[in-house]
């Protein structure tokens, strides 16, 4: 079973499957609806949740640090 997650607003009881998933779904589907009453659907917010460019890598210079296994296990 393959899972696809997306945000949608039902219109007259119909939820559209996004175009990028339509060709991948070739058989019956199991539908589970999770309603979020306190969350207002916002397409820009939904897209921002999927963005990975909001995180940037960091680098920490650990040269000169000493690591003592016994000291770490004391804590």
């Amino acid at each position: 079973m393959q899972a696809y997650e997306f945000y949608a607003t039902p219109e007259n009881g119909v939820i559209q499957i996004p175009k990028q998933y339509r060709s991948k779904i070739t058989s019956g589907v199991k539908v589970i609806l999770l309603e979020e009453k306190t969350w207002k659907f916002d397409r820009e917010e939904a897209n921002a949740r999927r963005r990975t460019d909001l995180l940037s890598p960091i680098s920490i210079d650990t040269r000169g640090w000493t690591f003592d296994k016994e000291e770490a296990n004391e804590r």
Side-chain angles (χ1 to χ4, degrees), residues 7-74:
Y7 297 94
T9 302
E11 294 181 23
N12 296 322
V14 176
I15 296 174
Q16 294 291 325
I17 297 173
K19 290 179 183 179
Q20 68 264 30
Y21 301 129
R22 290 179 190 170
S23 64
K24 295 177 182 180
I25 300 172
T26 59
S27 62
V29 297
K30 178 179 182 179
V31 178
I32 300 172
L33 297 176
L34 303 173
E35 181 183 17
E36 296 190 33
K37 292 181 180 183
T38 60
W39 179 70
K40 181 183 175 191
F41 180 78
D42 180 5
R43 190 169 306 281
E44 289 181 26
E45 182 181 338
N47 288 335
R49 287 182 182 202
R50 285 185 235 129
R51 292 174 118 176
T52 57
D53 61 347
L54 296 177
L55 303 174
S56 57
I58 62 168
S59 177
I60 300 173
D61 185 4
T62 58
R63 289 178 286 183
W65 288 16
T66 57
F67 298 95
D68 185 291
K69 180 175 78 170
E70 298 302 321
E71 181 182 337
N73 287 331
E74 288 176 7

